[in-house]
């Protein structure tokens, strides 16, 4: 209750302050459609910063925070908050940010920020989305680019990409190829210290860790008129091998520990969408198929122990979906959809310790899930300032597991939803939402984790999970000011059921022997989100903008090991970011500063608490256009030499009864880097 009271007081105070502070802000020149609540941004709005891709333009939208979506099974709830030509991309491994990178800025007619809904727009369950509307003129747009990244550990990582889109006779073809290396900025060099509960130093060492991956992508799409509507086909083939090498040289007690991890990931997907209008009625049919193969190997050696871990995981997904929308009048629209999905997971896990096979719970399993969801909703706009939506979804699924874990379970959930959007004038908008949310189960929770290779702690899998559910209440206030300024304050409260966190796995005699993902009961989560975009001309900085976002989180669940209340594992108490950009037209250039906040997260397990603390990331960039078709970008990355501090508090047994055995801290510095990119517009 104290957290709720504090949150309510903070929201009330912030709203009052925000209202007083913005009373003098004048409405700017952005174009708002009073009939829909959408705000349109033409290319001229972005001209000062000279964007090269649609992603550059989206990142400059005032009061809008880009979200590329989440990895879930099925299409509902997986997409991000940006549409392309009023439709969500039928893709998953080919992420939304990559899709927007391939859309040249010159092919964008406008971007609409839709708040509360608009006729003919599938909001994907969100209250705010951006819609990138492309020009339909025939012709070719393309680009090639080359990138070199120089790291402080003397690695040189190169990359190249090429992309193009062709329009002719109402048809569209797209092709993109990517080949390049990238670093893992969570690993670096630094000290490690392990101390006993009495403070005695048990291990003192220096860690040298390097990691990175390779992208080998081929992505394409084709659109054409078909059967009175429009058909889009897209596909992607994406190979992403990854490796990490960690050398730990021990000055106390002497010797070394060595770990080498590899992941061979191969992802492929095919998508199809056909959409057609029948007067006031529109129909959309979607099909999606993906394959994900992941072969993971990890080896750890030391003077006392050798560990080998292997995981061969294959995931497939087949989805079909039909959307039907009918505009009954200028004030009322009805929507419905039906979606069916068939998912499968095949996993084979092998773990050796000192060449002896160690049996893991749920090591070798095959899981199949059949899932269906139907939905109906009504969007009512009685006046130009008020929009209401009411809907209901029904979700059913059957999960079957064979192998080490044999089970079959059926689940069913009813998910009502209601939203209300009120815009008393062009500058202000209030949005409210009440909804029952049901999370999609993560197949990675069904299988064992490779992290046990260096810790020895068994992190098992668990196919017998129920989705986490939540009743969510949300309120947001948005204020537009000056030409491109915006302030958005959002408060969200979630009452959680069947929270998924780490839970003990009990062996013979009721003794907890490991931990695995499990449903640990009820909980709650509160969030306060502040989003600010401020043009700085009135402060003497021409062609400059400041954007920032902060998210504060409070959570509470009952720890299944100790029975005490605690936060939810791996939930960040605070995330924030800030961005400054300025155009320098005399130099045909722009520059900026990006700051990503430090953050911390804690994971609570059977016999340990792991805390990860990541320091602030600072990036300064300069982008020059010596010619309209040539862009040179230089990024000075990680100027703060960000540290990643991993702290393991390990107990002699269960945290409920056993004493603290030791605390192991590893503080790794990734180091600074320089990235140079040359992009040629074709």
């Amino acid at each position: 209750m104290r957290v709720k009271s504090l949150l309510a007081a903070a929201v009330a105070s912030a709203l009052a302050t925000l209202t007083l502070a913005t009373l003098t802000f004048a409405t700017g020149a952005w174009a708002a459609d009073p009939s829909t609540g959408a705000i349109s941004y033409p290319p001229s709005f972005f001209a000062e910063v000279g964007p090269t891709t649609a992603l550059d333009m989206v990142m400059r939208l005032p009061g809008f925070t880009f979200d590329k979506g989440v990895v879930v099974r099925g299409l509902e709830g997986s997409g991000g908050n940006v549409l392309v030509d009023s439709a969500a991309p039928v893709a998953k491994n080919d992420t939304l940010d990559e899709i927007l990178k391939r859309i040249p800025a010159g092919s964008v007619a406008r971007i609409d920020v839709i708040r509360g809904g608009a006729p003919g727009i599938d909001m994907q369950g969100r209250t705010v989305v951006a819609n990138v509307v492309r020009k339909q003129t025939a012709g070719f747009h393309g680009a090639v680019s080359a990138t070199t990244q120089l790291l402080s550990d003397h690695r040189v990582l190169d990359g190249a990409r090429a992309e193009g889109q062709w329009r002719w006779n109402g048809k569209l073809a797209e092709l993109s190829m990517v080949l390049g290396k990238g670093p893992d900025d969570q690993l670096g060099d630094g000290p490690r210290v392990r101390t006993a509960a009495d403070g005695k130093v048990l291990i003192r060492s220096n860690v040298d860790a390097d990691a990175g991956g390779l992208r080998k992508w081929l992505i394409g799409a084709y659109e054409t008129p078909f059967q009175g509507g429009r058909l889009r086909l897209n596909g992607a083939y994406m190979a992403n091998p990854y490796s990490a090498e960690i050398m730990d040289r021990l000055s106390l007690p002497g010797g070394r520990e060595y770990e080498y991890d590899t992941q061979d990931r191969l992802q492929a997907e095919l998508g199809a969408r056909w959409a057609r209008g029948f007067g006031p009625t529109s129909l959309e049919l979607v099909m999606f198929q993906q394959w994900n193969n992941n072969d993971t190997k990890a080896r750890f050696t030391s003077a006392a122990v050798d560990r080998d871990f292997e995981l061969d995981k294959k995931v497939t997904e087949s989805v079909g979906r039909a959307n039907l929308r009918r505009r009954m009048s200028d004030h009322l629209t009805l929507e419905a959809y039906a979606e069916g999905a068939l998912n499968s997971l095949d996993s084979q896990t092998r773990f050796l310790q000192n060449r002896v096979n160690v049996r893991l719970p749920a090591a070798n399993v095959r899981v199949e899930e059949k899932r269906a969801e139907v939905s109906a909703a009504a969007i009512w706009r009685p006046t130009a300032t008020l929009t209401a939506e009411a809907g209901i979804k029904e979700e059913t699924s059957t999960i079957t597991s064979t192998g080490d874990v044999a089970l079959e379970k059926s689940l069913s959930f009813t998910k009502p939803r209601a939203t209300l959007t009120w815009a008393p004038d062009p500058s202000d908008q209030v949005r409210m939402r009440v909804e029952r949310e049901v999370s999609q189960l993560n197949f990675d929770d069904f299988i064992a984790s490779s992290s046990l290779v260096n810790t020895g702690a068994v992190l098992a899998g668990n196919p017998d999970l129920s989705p986490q559910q939540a009743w969510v209440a949300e309120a947001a206030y948005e204020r537009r000011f000056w030409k491109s300024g915006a302030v958005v304050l959002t408060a969200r409260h979630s009452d959680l059921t069947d929270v998924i966190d780490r839970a003990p796995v009990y062996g013979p005699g009721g003794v907890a022997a490991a931990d695995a993902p499990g449903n640990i009961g009820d909980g709650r989560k509160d969030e306060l989100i502040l989003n600010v975009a401020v043009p700085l001309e009135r402060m003497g900085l021409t062609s400059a903008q400041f954007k920032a976002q902060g998210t504060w989180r409070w959570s509470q669940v009952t720890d299944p090991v100790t029975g005490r209340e605690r936060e939810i594992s791996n939930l960040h108490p605070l995330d924030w970011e800030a961005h400054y950009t300025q155009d320098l037209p005399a130099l045909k250039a722009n520059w900026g500063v990006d700051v990503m906040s430090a953050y911390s997260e804690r994971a609570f397990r059977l016999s340990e608490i792991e805390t990860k603390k990541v320091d602030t990331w600072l990036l300064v960039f300069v982008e020059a256009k010596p010619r309209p078709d040539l862009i040179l970008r230089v990024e000075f990355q990680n100027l703060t030499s960000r540290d990643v501090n991993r702290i393991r508090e390990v107990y002699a047994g269960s945290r409920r009864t056993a004493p603290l055995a030791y605390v192991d801290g590893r503080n790794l510095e990734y180091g600074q880097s320089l990235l140079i990119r040359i992009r040629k517009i074709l």
Side-chain angles (χ1 to χ4, degrees):
M1 292 301 294
R2 182 174 180 270
V3 172
K4 290 184 180 179
S5 299
L6 288 173
L7 180 59
V11 172
S13 175
L15 281 173
T17 302
L18 187 60
T19 302
L20 290 173
T22 57
L23 283 176
T24 59
F25 289 167
T27 302
W30 36 263
D33 184 347
S35 66
T36 63
I39 300 176
S40 293
Y41 295 93
S44 58
F45 178 84
F46 308 96
E48 288 185 345
V49 294
T52 58
T53 69
L55 181 62
D56 298 333
M57 302 169 79
V58 167
M59 300 303 289
R60 292 281 295 183
L61 291 172
F64 183 81
T65 301
F66 174 67
D67 180 0
K68 68 179 182 179
V70 296
V71 178
V72 296
R73 295 190 302 284
L75 296 175
E76 178 63 19
S78 65
N81 60 354
V82 178
L83 310 178
V84 178
D85 294 331
S86 303
V90 187
K92 288 190 176 180
N93 301 314
D94 185 16
T95 56
L96 183 56
D97 56 336
E98 290 293 333
I99 292 171
L100 295 175
K101 285 179 184 178
R102 295 198 299 271
I103 300 177
S107 69
V108 176
R110 70 180 190 275
I111 299 181
D112 298 332
V113 176
I114 303 168
R115 306 171 297 160
I121 299 295
D122 184 357
M123 297 292 289
Q124 300 289 306
R126 299 176 181 271
T127 55
V128 179
V129 299
N131 182 27
V132 177
V133 181
R134 294 182 289 184
K135 299 175 183 176
Q136 300 300 309
T137 53
F140 170 78
H141 293 276
V144 294
S145 60
T147 303
T148 294
Q149 189 169 10
L150 310 175
L151 306 183
S152 59
D153 58 10
H154 307 298
R155 283 182 291 168
V156 179
L157 307 180
D158 297 323
R161 65 188 299 154
E163 56 226 7
Q165 68 172 38
W166 298 260
R167 282 193 185 272
W168 75 101
N169 298 331
K171 299 179 181 181
L172 171 67
E174 300 173 350
L175 184 64
S176 174
M177 295 173 285
V178 178
L179 177 63
K181 297 179 180 180
D184 182 348
D185 59 19
Q186 297 288 297
L187 291 178
D189 303 337
R192 173 192 172 200
V193 178
R194 176 179 293 184
T195 58
D198 60 2
K200 180 182 177 181
V201 177
L202 304 176
I203 293 177
R204 190 185 302 277
S205 68
N206 190 56
V207 179
D208 183 355
D210 299 321
L214 175 65
R215 289 180 173 183
K216 296 186 288 184
W217 295 358
L218 179 62
I219 302 164
Y222 176 70
E223 287 186 24
T224 183
F226 181 75
Q227 295 295 311
R230 189 158 187 86
L231 175 67
R232 178 178 174 88
L233 305 173
N234 59 272
Y237 179 89
M238 311 171 79
N240 300 277
Y242 168 90
S243 64
E245 186 175 27
I246 305 171
M247 175 68 73
D248 196 357
R249 296 179 175 85
L250 281 63
S251 58
L252 177 70
R256 71 169 197 173
E257 295 179 352
Y258 178 76
E259 180 181 349
Y260 187 70
D261 304 336
T262 62
Q263 289 186 30
D264 288 325
R265 294 183 293 176
L266 179 60
Q267 302 167 307
E269 62 184 32
L270 294 172
R273 173 193 287 109
W274 178 74
R276 179 181 176 180
F278 302 86
T281 302
S282 62
L283 174 65
E284 181 184 66
L285 302 178
V286 178
M287 292 188 295
F288 178 74
Q289 176 71 45
Q290 71 163 326
W291 302 265
N292 288 278
N293 296 342
N294 193 336
D295 185 10
T296 300
K297 296 180 180 180
R299 178 171 178 77
F300 177 85
T301 61
S302 69
V305 64
D306 288 349
R307 302 190 188 101
D308 288 276
F309 177 91
E310 296 182 6
L311 169 64
D312 184 11
K313 180 179 68 173
K314 294 179 172 62
V315 177
T316 64
E317 179 179 34
S318 305
V319 186
R321 180 183 174 99
N323 295 335
L324 186 64
R325 183 178 295 108
R326 181 173 178 82
R327 188 169 186 178
M328 306 299 293
S329 69
D330 291 341
H331 302 288
L332 180 64
T333 302
L334 302 181
E335 298 179 351
Y337 73 77
E339 178 176 302
L342 176 62
N343 305 280
S344 69
L345 162 70
D346 281 292
S347 70
Q348 295 182 341
T349 308
R350 182 169 174 261
F351 180 50
L352 299 178
Q353 182 160 296
N354 293 331
R355 301 184 180 180
V356 177
N357 186 57
V358 178
R359 184 172 177 82
L360 301 176
N364 303 300
V365 296
R366 173 174 174 80
V367 180
E368 290 188 350
E369 179 192 43
K370 298 177 181 178
R371 195 175 63 83
E373 183 170 275
V374 294
S375 171
I379 299 93
W380 182 44
R381 194 175 181 87
T383 70
T385 62
L386 190 65
T387 302
E389 177 186 347
I392 190 167
K393 302 176 184 178
E394 185 68 27
E395 174 188 325
T396 62
S397 63
T398 299
I399 299 176
T400 304
S401 174
T402 57
D404 289 352
V405 179
L407 64 87
E408 181 173 340
K409 62 191 302 184
S410 296
L411 302 168
S412 180
F413 301 98
T414 301
K415 301 180 288 185
R417 169 187 169 88
T419 67
L420 184 67
T421 302
W422 177 51
D425 55 61
S427 299
D428 298 280
Q429 189 178 78
V430 176
R431 299 185 289 269
M432 292 180 286
R433 174 175 68 101
V434 177
E435 183 175 4
R436 188 190 187 202
E437 297 180 345
V438 179
S439 68
Q440 288 292 312
L441 295 174
N442 186 348
F443 269 177
D444 287 340
D445 288 337
F446 292 7
I447 55 181
S449 167
S450 63
S451 61
L452 64 86
V453 75
N454 57 41
T455 65
V458 178
L459 307 179
N462 179 17
D464 190 14
L465 287 171
S466 294
Q468 179 175 293
Q469 306 125 60
W471 276 103
V472 180
E474 178 183 284
Y477 170 67
E478 178 177 326
R479 172 73 177 181
R480 297 267 166 172
F481 58 92
W482 299 344
K483 180 181 177 181
S484 58
V487 178
V488 184
L489 182 66
T490 304
R492 184 182 302 128
H493 172 73
S494 302
D495 283 321
L496 308 175
T497 304
D498 287 334
V499 174
I500 296 178
D501 208 317
R502 305 300 299 195
V505 176
Y506 295 95
V511 178
D515 63 85
N519 298 113
I520 65 171
D522 298 342
R524 71 167 184 260
K525 180 174 65 173
D526 295 295
E527 297 168 283
L528 186 63
I529 305 165
L530 180 63
N531 188 307
V532 179
V534 182
L536 302 177
E537 284 86 353
R538 300 193 182 193
M539 303 175 188
L541 297 171
T542 58
S543 303
Q545 184 193 57
F546 173 77
K547 289 188 69 175
Q549 180 190 342
T551 302
W552 293 261
R553 302 180 184 90
W554 302 266
S555 65
Q556 183 176 296
V557 291
T558 300
D559 192 308
V561 176
T562 65
R564 302 188 185 97
E565 292 184 346
R566 62 162 172 84
E567 65 199 70
I568 297 174
S569 287
N570 297 322
L571 194 67
H572 299 178
L574 172 63
D575 287 309
W576 62 266
E577 58 187 72
H579 309 275
Y580 172 83
T581 55
Q582 184 177 25
D583 183 46
L584 306 172
L587 301 176
K588 298 180 181 180
N590 63 80
W591 76 286
V593 180
D594 296 327
V595 184
M596 307 299 293
S597 72
Y599 67 86
S600 64
E601 61 184 32
R602 304 179 76 196
F604 298 83
R605 302 187 173 119
L606 171 66
S607 58
E608 74 172 84
I609 299 174
E610 181 177 359
T611 303
K612 184 167 73 172
K613 298 180 179 180
V614 180
D615 286 346
T616 302
W617 176 276
L618 174 63
L619 179 149
V620 175
F621 72 88
V622 178
E623 192 169 88
K625 290 187 176 181
R627 299 198 322 234
D629 63 343
L630 190 65
I631 301 102
L632 173 64
R633 183 181 177 93
V634 178
E635 294 183 1
F636 303 92
Q637 300 179 343
N638 194 27
L639 293 180
T640 54
S641 297
R642 180 176 71 177
D643 290 345
V644 178
N645 193 3
R646 178 187 174 197
I647 304 168
R648 297 178 57 226
E649 301 170 70
V650 180
Y651 293 76
S654 169
R655 288 188 290 111
R656 182 182 183 90
T657 56
L660 181 68
Y662 61 83
V663 177
D664 191 289
R666 189 173 67 175
N667 191 17
L668 304 184
E669 180 182 295
Y670 168 65
Q672 300 174 352
S673 63
L674 175 67
L675 183 142
I676 303 172
R677 178 184 298 121
I678 299 176
R679 182 180 177 90
K680 175 69 168 64
I681 306 298
L682 302 177

